[in-house]
Amino acid sequence: MRADAKRNYDKLLQAAREVFRERGLEAPLDEVARRAGVGAGTLYRHFPTRDDLLNALMQAFIDRLDAAAEAAIAVDGSPRERLLCWIRGGVAEVTYSKGAAAKLTAALGDDESRIATKAAAFAQASGRVVEALGVDLRPGLDGVQLARLVGGLAMVVDQGDLDESSFAPLADVLVDGLLAPTVVGS
Amino acid sequence: MRADAKRNYDKLLQAAREVFRERGLEAPLDEVARRAGVGAGTLYRHFPTRDDLLNALMQAFIDRLDAAAEAAIAVDGSPRERLLCWIRGGVAEVTYSKGAAAKLTAALGDDESRIATKAAAFAQASGRVVEALGVDLRPGLDGVQLARLVGGLAMVVDQGDLDESSFAPLADVLVDGLLAPTVVGS
DNA sequence: ACCTGAACACCGTTCAAGT
DNA sequence: ACCTGAACACCGTTCAAGT
């Protein structure tokens, strides 16, 4: 890639990061080009669709999501506490940008999605938590299912601008439902 | 309301019902006006915003939701079966139109929403199920919380086009988390 | 009173002309 | 090769002119 192209590519990513954070993932793309100081055509050359731009932005997001999963697995406490840590961490990361939860959850079952690799990373991070919790979880649960539930809760938070006191009881319901019957109520 | 105005109002509702069903809740409004055979201005006179149009359409939807709640309460079986019936019925109604789940869930905590009355009806239907299940449910649960969880699951189904086999385990997680600890695992 | 539809605004997307 | 930005298309919304 030519030096000026690389520079424009980076300027677009930085501008998109700012614009999407301020105005959500449906923000006008011409604002992204304008703030990056490039023509509209340059944006479309580098990122043919909005989701391609989003996909490039999401690398850092996935890194944080992986870190949240590792942190949850490493929690020194009960299975319940480890699971709750992942649900809290996962929801917090996935709701970082308005609309991201819906896009990621939709991409979980769609290989054709432009952000399919990011959704797969979300499912894999969930899968690592599932494996770490092992027999403490209800049998048959897999990473995709857990990611869907975390994504669903994240969408509720995203749509409703829920604060901590509204979020906590919903997370509790999810945790109790996810734990193996013998552990529930302990 | 003048006779011709009433006629246009009804034609717009019928056209919107068809267009929203075919193309989702974000379908172009000029298509609604075109199919109703009226000018664009007439649409905006009767329904200043898209959500006002949606709100008018949703009356029938709320009636079906109420019926689903009554049916769940009347189920001759365990609390688990009654709750599962409501979750299945609620999700089925709320996902009837693509995008409806997200709109309704967002409106659950927003009195300013143009569909606030419909969201309130959703919460009340959930609340009736909560009351009917009484001590079988985890303590502290209210209709809004249950509606949020049903809405979250409905958004997951809506976003991912889930089939029955993918939906069932997620509904099971929710049911187990919602039941009182002493009942879980029975 | 209510309706029509042309007109304007906004934004996504393309492409001819430039460097 | 890559970039620019004018141009086109689409759709939401308004409003002057009609009935």
Side-chain angles (χ1 to χ4, degrees), chain A residues 2 8 39 41-42 45:
Chain A
R2 232 166 61 176
N8 283 335
T42 302
R45 159 177 288 272

PDB file of all heavy atoms in Angstrom, chain A residues 2 8 39 41-42 45, chain D residues 1-6:
ATOM      1  N   ARG A   2       0.541   2.177  -0.864  1.00  0.00           N
ATOM      2  CA  ARG A   2       1.345   3.401  -0.986  1.00  0.00           C
ATOM      3  C   ARG A   2       1.273   4.211   0.308  1.00  0.00           C
ATOM      4  O   ARG A   2       0.287   4.106   1.061  1.00  0.00           O
ATOM      5  CB  ARG A   2       0.803   4.240  -2.141  1.00  0.00           C
ATOM      6  CG  ARG A   2       1.856   4.650  -3.151  1.00  0.00           C
ATOM      7  CD  ARG A   2       1.236   5.162  -4.406  1.00  0.00           C
ATOM      8  NE  ARG A   2       0.401   6.339  -4.190  1.00  0.00           N
ATOM      9  CZ  ARG A   2      -0.193   7.004  -5.192  1.00  0.00           C
ATOM     10  NH1 ARG A   2      -0.032   6.583  -6.438  1.00  0.00           N
ATOM     11  NH2 ARG A   2      -0.935   8.044  -4.953  1.00  0.00           N
ATOM     12  N   ASN A   8      -4.143   7.800   4.639  1.00  0.00           N
ATOM     13  CA  ASN A   8      -5.596   8.041   4.559  1.00  0.00           C
ATOM     14  C   ASN A   8      -6.387   6.945   5.267  1.00  0.00           C
ATOM     15  O   ASN A   8      -7.393   7.230   5.936  1.00  0.00           O
ATOM     16  CB  ASN A   8      -6.024   8.128   3.094  1.00  0.00           C
ATOM     17  CG  ASN A   8      -5.667   9.460   2.485  1.00  0.00           C
ATOM     18  OD1 ASN A   8      -5.544  10.466   3.200  1.00  0.00           O
ATOM     19  ND2 ASN A   8      -5.480   9.494   1.183  1.00  0.00           N
ATOM     20  N   GLY A  39     -11.702  12.745   0.474  1.00  0.00           N
ATOM     21  CA  GLY A  39     -12.908  12.724  -0.337  1.00  0.00           C
ATOM     22  C   GLY A  39     -13.735  11.492  -0.044  1.00  0.00           C
ATOM     23  O   GLY A  39     -13.231  10.495   0.481  1.00  0.00           O
ATOM     24  N   GLY A  41     -14.944   9.361  -2.050  1.00  0.00           N
ATOM     25  CA  GLY A  41     -14.502   8.213  -2.826  1.00  0.00           C
ATOM     26  C   GLY A  41     -13.386   7.444  -2.152  1.00  0.00           C
ATOM     27  O   GLY A  41     -13.296   6.219  -2.273  1.00  0.00           O
ATOM     28  N   THR A  42     -12.529   8.156  -1.442  1.00  0.00           N
ATOM     29  CA  THR A  42     -11.418   7.502  -0.746  1.00  0.00           C
ATOM     30  C   THR A  42     -11.937   6.578   0.361  1.00  0.00           C
ATOM     31  O   THR A  42     -11.425   5.477   0.567  1.00  0.00           O
ATOM     32  CB  THR A  42     -10.477   8.560  -0.148  1.00  0.00           C
ATOM     33  OG1 THR A  42     -10.018   9.397  -1.208  1.00  0.00           O
ATOM     34  CG2 THR A  42      -9.286   7.918   0.537  1.00  0.00           C
ATOM     35  N   ARG A  45     -13.256   3.502  -1.342  1.00  0.00           N
ATOM     36  CA  ARG A  45     -12.179   2.665  -1.869  1.00  0.00           C
ATOM     37  C   ARG A  45     -11.629   1.761  -0.761  1.00  0.00           C
ATOM     38  O   ARG A  45     -11.440   0.563  -0.941  1.00  0.00           O
ATOM     39  CB  ARG A  45     -11.070   3.555  -2.427  1.00  0.00           C
ATOM     40  CG  ARG A  45      -9.713   2.881  -2.529  1.00  0.00           C
ATOM     41  CD  ARG A  45      -8.693   3.815  -3.149  1.00  0.00           C
ATOM     42  NE  ARG A  45      -8.951   3.971  -4.558  1.00  0.00           N
ATOM     43  CZ  ARG A  45      -8.459   3.169  -5.504  1.00  0.00           C
ATOM     44  NH1 ARG A  45      -7.678   2.151  -5.164  1.00  0.00           N
ATOM     45  NH2 ARG A  45      -8.729   3.369  -6.764  1.00  0.00           N
TER      46      ARG A  45
ATOM     47  P    DA D   1      -0.288  -0.667 -10.576  1.00  0.00           P
ATOM     48  OP1  DA D   1      -0.854  -0.121 -11.731  1.00  0.00           O
ATOM     49  OP2  DA D   1       0.306  -1.846 -10.287  1.00  0.00           O
ATOM     50  O5'  DA D   1      -0.697  -0.083  -9.182  1.00  0.00           O
ATOM     51  C5'  DA D   1      -1.801   0.640  -8.986  1.00  0.00           C
ATOM     52  C4'  DA D   1      -1.463   1.619  -7.871  1.00  0.00           C
ATOM     53  O4'  DA D   1      -1.223   2.899  -8.505  1.00  0.00           O
ATOM     54  C3'  DA D   1      -2.615   1.785  -6.924  1.00  0.00           C
ATOM     55  O3'  DA D   1      -2.118   1.854  -5.610  1.00  0.00           O
ATOM     56  C2'  DA D   1      -3.290   3.084  -7.383  1.00  0.00           C
ATOM     57  C1'  DA D   1      -2.182   3.841  -8.077  1.00  0.00           C
ATOM     58  N9   DA D   1      -2.619   4.544  -9.288  1.00  0.00           N
ATOM     59  C8   DA D   1      -3.146   3.983 -10.421  1.00  0.00           C
ATOM     60  N7   DA D   1      -3.435   4.859 -11.358  1.00  0.00           N
ATOM     61  C5   DA D   1      -3.076   6.069 -10.797  1.00  0.00           C
ATOM     62  C6   DA D   1      -3.134   7.388 -11.286  1.00  0.00           C
ATOM     63  N6   DA D   1      -3.580   7.702 -12.487  1.00  0.00           N
ATOM     64  N1   DA D   1      -2.694   8.380 -10.456  1.00  0.00           N
ATOM     65  C2   DA D   1      -2.232   8.049  -9.235  1.00  0.00           C
ATOM     66  N3   DA D   1      -2.123   6.841  -8.679  1.00  0.00           N
ATOM     67  C4   DA D   1      -2.574   5.900  -9.517  1.00  0.00           C
ATOM     68  P    DC D   2      -3.222   1.694  -4.431  1.00  0.00           P
ATOM     69  OP1  DC D   2      -2.500   1.325  -3.203  1.00  0.00           O
ATOM     70  OP2  DC D   2      -4.353   0.898  -4.918  1.00  0.00           O
ATOM     71  O5'  DC D   2      -3.716   3.188  -4.262  1.00  0.00           O
ATOM     72  C5'  DC D   2      -2.771   4.189  -3.939  1.00  0.00           C
ATOM     73  C4'  DC D   2      -3.389   5.540  -4.139  1.00  0.00           C
ATOM     74  O4'  DC D   2      -3.622   5.771  -5.549  1.00  0.00           O
ATOM     75  C3'  DC D   2      -4.747   5.725  -3.476  1.00  0.00           C
ATOM     76  O3'  DC D   2      -4.584   6.569  -2.358  1.00  0.00           O
ATOM     77  C2'  DC D   2      -5.631   6.369  -4.563  1.00  0.00           C
ATOM     78  C1'  DC D   2      -4.637   6.732  -5.644  1.00  0.00           C
ATOM     79  N1   DC D   2      -5.189   6.674  -7.026  1.00  0.00           N
ATOM     80  C2   DC D   2      -5.325   7.854  -7.766  1.00  0.00           C
ATOM     81  O2   DC D   2      -4.992   8.922  -7.254  1.00  0.00           O
ATOM     82  N3   DC D   2      -5.837   7.803  -9.022  1.00  0.00           N
ATOM     83  C4   DC D   2      -6.185   6.632  -9.545  1.00  0.00           C
ATOM     84  N4   DC D   2      -6.667   6.625 -10.788  1.00  0.00           N
ATOM     85  C5   DC D   2      -6.057   5.418  -8.810  1.00  0.00           C
ATOM     86  C6   DC D   2      -5.556   5.484  -7.568  1.00  0.00           C
ATOM     87  P    DC D   3      -5.861   7.114  -1.557  1.00  0.00           P
ATOM     88  OP1  DC D   3      -5.426   7.528  -0.206  1.00  0.00           O
ATOM     89  OP2  DC D   3      -6.990   6.174  -1.727  1.00  0.00           O
ATOM     90  O5'  DC D   3      -6.185   8.429  -2.369  1.00  0.00           O
ATOM     91  C5'  DC D   3      -5.241   9.503  -2.359  1.00  0.00           C
ATOM     92  C4'  DC D   3      -5.881  10.701  -3.001  1.00  0.00           C
ATOM     93  O4'  DC D   3      -6.167  10.373  -4.385  1.00  0.00           O
ATOM     94  C3'  DC D   3      -7.218  11.080  -2.360  1.00  0.00           C
ATOM     95  O3'  DC D   3      -7.150  12.391  -1.855  1.00  0.00           O
ATOM     96  C2'  DC D   3      -8.250  10.929  -3.480  1.00  0.00           C
ATOM     97  C1'  DC D   3      -7.426  10.901  -4.742  1.00  0.00           C
ATOM     98  N1   DC D   3      -7.996  10.015  -5.794  1.00  0.00           N
ATOM     99  C2   DC D   3      -8.519  10.567  -6.957  1.00  0.00           C
ATOM    100  O2   DC D   3      -8.510  11.794  -7.099  1.00  0.00           O
ATOM    101  N3   DC D   3      -9.034   9.745  -7.900  1.00  0.00           N
ATOM    102  C4   DC D   3      -9.027   8.422  -7.720  1.00  0.00           C
ATOM    103  N4   DC D   3      -9.537   7.649  -8.688  1.00  0.00           N
ATOM    104  C5   DC D   3      -8.496   7.830  -6.538  1.00  0.00           C
ATOM    105  C6   DC D   3      -7.998   8.652  -5.619  1.00  0.00           C
ATOM    106  P    DT D   4      -8.380  12.994  -1.066  1.00  0.00           P
ATOM    107  OP1  DT D   4      -7.846  13.957  -0.092  1.00  0.00           O
ATOM    108  OP2  DT D   4      -9.263  11.912  -0.633  1.00  0.00           O
ATOM    109  O5'  DT D   4      -9.116  13.804  -2.210  1.00  0.00           O
ATOM    110  C5'  DT D   4      -8.380  14.726  -2.998  1.00  0.00           C
ATOM    111  C4'  DT D   4      -9.308  15.361  -4.023  1.00  0.00           C
ATOM    112  O4'  DT D   4      -9.674  14.362  -5.001  1.00  0.00           O
ATOM    113  C3'  DT D   4     -10.613  15.893  -3.434  1.00  0.00           C
ATOM    114  O3'  DT D   4     -10.736  17.260  -3.778  1.00  0.00           O
ATOM    115  C2'  DT D   4     -11.708  15.010  -4.054  1.00  0.00           C
ATOM    116  C1'  DT D   4     -11.037  14.487  -5.314  1.00  0.00           C
ATOM    117  N1   DT D   4     -11.466  13.142  -5.776  1.00  0.00           N
ATOM    118  C2   DT D   4     -11.960  12.996  -7.051  1.00  0.00           C
ATOM    119  O2   DT D   4     -12.093  13.916  -7.829  1.00  0.00           O
ATOM    120  N3   DT D   4     -12.288  11.701  -7.392  1.00  0.00           N
ATOM    121  C4   DT D   4     -12.173  10.569  -6.592  1.00  0.00           C
ATOM    122  O4   DT D   4     -12.498   9.456  -7.018  1.00  0.00           O
ATOM    123  C5   DT D   4     -11.650  10.793  -5.266  1.00  0.00           C
ATOM    124  C7   DT D   4     -11.500   9.648  -4.336  1.00  0.00           C
ATOM    125  C6   DT D   4     -11.323  12.048  -4.924  1.00  0.00           C
ATOM    126  P    DG D   5     -11.638  18.216  -2.872  1.00  0.00           P
ATOM    127  OP1  DG D   5     -11.015  19.556  -2.973  1.00  0.00           O
ATOM    128  OP2  DG D   5     -11.880  17.590  -1.560  1.00  0.00           O
ATOM    129  O5'  DG D   5     -13.008  18.242  -3.693  1.00  0.00           O
ATOM    130  C5'  DG D   5     -12.972  18.545  -5.079  1.00  0.00           C
ATOM    131  C4'  DG D   5     -14.266  18.122  -5.729  1.00  0.00           C
ATOM    132  O4'  DG D   5     -14.279  16.678  -5.869  1.00  0.00           O
ATOM    133  C3'  DG D   5     -15.538  18.453  -4.916  1.00  0.00           C
ATOM    134  O3'  DG D   5     -16.580  18.728  -5.842  1.00  0.00           O
ATOM    135  C2'  DG D   5     -15.818  17.139  -4.199  1.00  0.00           C
ATOM    136  C1'  DG D   5     -15.496  16.186  -5.340  1.00  0.00           C
ATOM    137  N9   DG D   5     -15.324  14.801  -4.948  1.00  0.00           N
ATOM    138  C8   DG D   5     -15.023  14.308  -3.699  1.00  0.00           C
ATOM    139  N7   DG D   5     -14.956  13.009  -3.660  1.00  0.00           N
ATOM    140  C5   DG D   5     -15.231  12.611  -4.963  1.00  0.00           C
ATOM    141  C6   DG D   5     -15.302  11.318  -5.536  1.00  0.00           C
ATOM    142  O6   DG D   5     -15.131  10.235  -4.986  1.00  0.00           O
ATOM    143  N1   DG D   5     -15.614  11.374  -6.898  1.00  0.00           N
ATOM    144  C2   DG D   5     -15.824  12.531  -7.603  1.00  0.00           C
ATOM    145  N2   DG D   5     -16.107  12.382  -8.892  1.00  0.00           N
ATOM    146  N3   DG D   5     -15.759  13.742  -7.071  1.00  0.00           N
ATOM    147  C4   DG D   5     -15.461  13.710  -5.768  1.00  0.00           C
ATOM    148  P    DA D   6     -17.418  20.035  -5.736  1.00  0.00           P
ATOM    149  OP1  DA D   6     -16.483  21.173  -5.623  1.00  0.00           O
ATOM    150  OP2  DA D   6     -18.433  19.814  -4.696  1.00  0.00           O
ATOM    151  O5'  DA D   6     -18.126  20.087  -7.152  1.00  0.00           O
ATOM    152  C5'  DA D   6     -17.374  19.796  -8.324  1.00  0.00           C
ATOM    153  C4'  DA D   6     -18.146  18.833  -9.208  1.00  0.00           C
ATOM    154  O4'  DA D   6     -18.019  17.472  -8.689  1.00  0.00           O
ATOM    155  C3'  DA D   6     -19.655  19.115  -9.293  1.00  0.00           C
ATOM    156  O3'  DA D   6     -20.086  18.871 -10.632  1.00  0.00           O
ATOM    157  C2'  DA D   6     -20.246  18.114  -8.297  1.00  0.00           C
ATOM    158  C1'  DA D   6     -19.311  16.921  -8.454  1.00  0.00           C
ATOM    159  N9   DA D   6     -19.190  16.048  -7.286  1.00  0.00           N
ATOM    160  C8   DA D   6     -19.050  16.430  -5.976  1.00  0.00           C
ATOM    161  N7   DA D   6     -18.949  15.412  -5.139  1.00  0.00           N
ATOM    162  C5   DA D   6     -19.021  14.304  -5.949  1.00  0.00           C
ATOM    163  C6   DA D   6     -18.977  12.922  -5.665  1.00  0.00           C
ATOM    164  N6   DA D   6     -18.835  12.419  -4.435  1.00  0.00           N
ATOM    165  N1   DA D   6     -19.075  12.069  -6.712  1.00  0.00           N
ATOM    166  C2   DA D   6     -19.209  12.575  -7.949  1.00  0.00           C
ATOM    167  N3   DA D   6     -19.267  13.851  -8.340  1.00  0.00           N
ATOM    168  C4   DA D   6     -19.168  14.675  -7.277  1.00  0.00           C
TER     169       DA D   6
END
